[in-house]
Amino acid sequence: MAAAGERPSPESPPRVRVGAIEVVALYDTPLVRRFTWTFPDVPAAAWDPYRELYPSAGTGEDFTFNTQGFLLRLPGRAIVVDTGFGPGPHERLGGVRGRLLDELRAAGGDPAAVDTVLFTHLHGDHVGWNVVDGEPSFPRARHLVPEADWRYFRDPARAERLPHIAEQLAPLDELGLLETTEGERQLAPGVRLLPTPGHTPGHQSLMLESEGERALLIGDVAHHPAQLQETAWGPRFDEDSAAAAATRRRVAERLEAEAPLVIAGHFPAPGFGRVARLEGRRVFRAL
Ligand SMILES: [Zn+2]
């Protein structure tokens, strides 16, 4: 039986096209946390207009979000971006189990055919599933981690609160499947890495451009769509709040000005939409 809040797997996971690139949303787990716990500096009542605007992200005290990864399909390539929390069951999430690999298979994907796994950053809700029962889930893939995160999170002072580094990433390193990446970089035709630091030191986004269409996969630049307007609102998970807010503002302005497709893993699933100005506010409109 499904645990509370768990979403049944759709027969075919949601997808969108950006020119020749297909992007499939891979749902992993639900996440439910108090607004006031997640955003300790934002008064509860300040959320009221945004509860109304984005009811699927929570209408009461609880911020309802989720973890997701994405499969990018291009001719001859299969790239996975972020890999959720992992199989679980996750006691801290009410016993839910992750779904990401089931979703990948439901989309017709084959873990053994994935050539690249890219991490926007190295928090635990983005690096699950890579090593299950001691075996790599994507045995032929190079796993690209941001160099600055790799340095930061392996610091012994932080390692203890971040067991996923030892459990999920160190084994990949030992198997020779892990590579670090830094700065802007072309990953595949029309797929480019874009540094967006702050949430973590090496946090990176992904710009997709193909056949005149564009998309920006924003990682954890924002967790709730309200943050595209209230760019100073930071969650407790931002490692450097000031840098994260500056990046959020820059990215939100760009999303409004250039209106690419937005791909946001923590927004109400599947997190596909566009940003527009509506009645004086920068608003996320889901597809
Ligand atoms: Zn996250």
Side-chain angles (χ1 to χ4, degrees):
M1 212 174 94
E6 201 167 0
R7 193 194 69 155
S9 187
E11 287 191 1
S12 180
R15 62 195 73 196
V16 71
R17 289 201 78 86
V18 183
I21 306 168
E22 184 182 51
V23 182
V24 186
L26 306 173
Y27 188 90
D28 196 40
T29 70
L31 261 179
V32 182
R33 296 282 184 262
R34 292 285 161 103
F35 278 108
T36 47
W37 181 85
T38 312
F39 297 88
D41 299 330
V42 182
W47 288 99
D48 287 347
Y50 299 107
R51 289 187 180 96
E52 205 169 302
L53 195 55
Y54 305 112
S56 47
T59 53
E61 291 180 6
D62 285 334
F63 171 30
T64 309
F65 57 129
N66 40 253
T67 65
Q68 298 189 107
F70 297 94
L71 169 65
L72 311 187
R73 279 197 185 113
L74 299 84
R77 300 287 305 268
I79 300 170
V80 168
V81 183
D82 289 342
T83 52
F85 263 122
H90 302 286
E91 295 314 319
R92 287 170 58 213
L93 305 179
V96 298
R97 292 176 187 273
R99 306 212 41 90
L100 186 124
L101 272 197
D102 290 339
E103 302 260 319
L104 180 82
R105 292 194 187 95
D110 171 8
V114 171
D115 59 78
T116 306
V117 178
L118 172 82
F119 304 107
T120 57
H121 62 294
L122 299 186
H123 278 156
D125 56 324
H126 295 259
V127 302
W129 284 110
N130 292 292
V131 179
V132 177
D133 298 330
E135 298 293 327
S137 298
F138 307 102
R140 299 209 179 98
R142 57 186 182 150
H143 297 67
L144 289 180
V145 306
E147 166 78 31
D149 275 23
W150 189 232
R151 269 199 314 267
Y152 180 81
F153 288 115
R154 283 199 308 165
D155 182 324
R158 294 188 186 93
E160 209 155 296
R161 73 172 166 101
L162 302 164
H164 60 273
I165 300 292
E167 289 162 11
Q168 290 294 314
L169 298 171
L172 295 174
D173 193 26
E174 281 157 27
L175 289 167
L177 297 175
L178 189 142
E179 249 180 64
T180 58
T181 182
E182 211 173 0
E184 290 203 25
R185 171 173 171 179
Q186 192 84 14
L187 208 59
V191 182
R192 195 159 48 90
L193 286 173
L194 205 63
T196 43
H199 180 65
T200 65
H203 186 278
Q204 52 191 354
S205 299
L206 212 53
M207 176 59 86
L208 311 180
E209 281 187 282
S210 175
E211 298 172 1
E213 295 178 14
R214 300 177 95 192
L216 191 66
L217 189 157
I218 65 170
D220 282 15
V221 167
H223 290 69
H224 188 292
Q227 292 175 273
L228 298 172
Q229 169 67 22
E230 310 288 354
T231 55
W233 291 8
R236 64 192 308 133
F237 328 113
D238 284 347
E239 302 286 336
D240 178 338
S241 333
T247 289
R248 192 155 43 243
R249 182 173 176 174
R250 179 168 57 81
V251 170
E253 286 172 355
R254 182 171 181 181
L255 295 178
E256 183 186 345
E258 299 177 15
L261 175 77
V262 180
I263 303 167
H266 285 308
F267 285 10
F272 300 142
R274 286 185 198 275
V275 172
R277 185 154 289 268
L278 205 67
E279 294 166 2
R281 265 197 307 222
R282 202 181 286 125
V283 166
F284 177 76
R285 293 202 276 195
L287 287 193

